[in-house]
Amino acid sequence: MLWFFHQGEGPALTEHKFCPQCGAALEWHVVAGEPRNHWRCTGCGQLDYDYPMVVVTAFVAHEDRLLWVQRGIEPQRGAWAIPGGFMERGETLAEAAARELHEESGVLLPPEQLQLYMTGTITFINQVYVAFRARVDTDFYLPGPESMDCGFFSRAECPWDKLAYPQVNDSIEQAYADLASGRFDVWQAEMTEGRYDFWSVSQGKD
């Protein structure tokens, strides 16, 4: 959560203070005496919500290798990650994943070629995670302005000690296992502080 309760008061304003519409001060929106987890402008009355950010990634395989990018910006500059980033206004999930893939690795795939692969929530950083998968016929890549390098790595070649987000290594291991077996379930993950749950929600065949 991005808020907490003061004794005898509503939640504390930890981030949002002023209305993005008119600039007036924000207050917690109270409905029927109950403070809700969003704000209300004291000037124009506009409601302001702190929605979770949506992160999209693309697991792209060539033969038995997955595509990785070496991050060229903070956080985790120099570490390796699956191509991905934040969804932007006006995009579908697949469009966002295809855009991030192209921006970071130079690999251009139409959104309709991406198949849903993993979904999840990361509550302690207020994010929703959606991953897609695809296969490509060549190992072409071209690092974008936010990447230092790219590469297709097998499980043995993967730089496990240099990954940007080792907390999700179970997902990476599962991707390599699915790639080896040729069977791809759709996976669900839930991450809270100190806990990571990961399970299959459906089954499919590549």
Side-chain angles (χ1 to χ4, degrees):
M1 294 282 185
L2 296 180
W3 50 268
F4 57 91
F5 285 99
H6 288 303
Q7 186 174 1
E9 300 177 349
L13 288 172
T14 58
E15 290 190 357
H16 294 209
K17 295 182 179 180
F18 301 102
C19 176
Q21 300 295 324
C22 71
L26 295 175
E27 64 182 4
W28 282 103
H29 190 203
V30 178
V31 178
E34 179 184 352
R36 301 298 177 89
N37 192 23
H38 59 264
W39 295 265
R40 178 183 179 277
C41 177
T42 57
C44 67
Q46 178 76 25
L47 298 181
D48 187 55
Y49 294 87
D50 184 26
Y51 293 116
M53 300 291 288
V54 179
V55 177
V56 292
T57 61
F59 287 82
V60 177
H62 173 60
E63 297 178 348
D64 66 340
R65 291 172 166 80
L66 290 175
L67 177 64
W68 291 83
V69 296
Q70 187 178 29
R71 294 181 57 81
I73 59 175
E74 297 295 346
Q76 301 296 330
R77 185 176 187 274
W80 290 85
I82 296 295
F86 289 111
M87 184 179 182
E88 296 182 356
R89 184 186 299 270
E91 294 180 316
T92 66
L93 290 164
E95 287 170 348
R99 173 186 52 78
E100 287 287 348
L101 173 65
H102 185 241
E103 288 177 353
E104 294 187 354
S105 71
V107 175
L108 181 60
L109 293 177
E112 56 270 22
Q113 189 172 331
L114 300 178
Q115 300 180 58
L116 180 65
Y117 188 37
M118 296 180 181
T119 66
T121 53
I122 312 176
T123 60
F124 56 91
I125 53 175
N126 203 31
Q127 290 183 358
V128 174
Y129 170 77
V130 182
F132 293 85
R133 64 180 179 87
R135 288 185 182 272
V136 291
D137 296 331
T138 71
D139 58 358
F140 168 84
Y141 57 81
L142 181 66
E146 297 182 359
S147 304
M148 298 172 63
D149 197 3
C150 304
F152 283 89
F153 302 142
S154 67
R155 188 201 301 250
E157 296 164 341
C158 181
W160 294 103
D161 59 337
K162 299 177 182 177
L163 298 189
Y165 306 106
Q167 303 92 331
V168 296
N169 276 8
D170 284 356
S171 300
I172 305 301
E173 290 277 11
Q174 188 62 56
Y176 276 118
D178 290 349
L179 190 60
S181 69
R183 296 192 63 87
F184 294 87
D185 290 359
V186 175
W187 298 92
Q188 173 72 26
E190 289 185 359
M191 292 183 65
T192 59
E193 287 192 277
R195 182 168 179 173
Y196 179 65
D197 294 322
F198 186 68
W199 67 94
S200 170
V201 295
S202 69
Q203 240 180 23
K205 187 171 183 180
D206 192 34

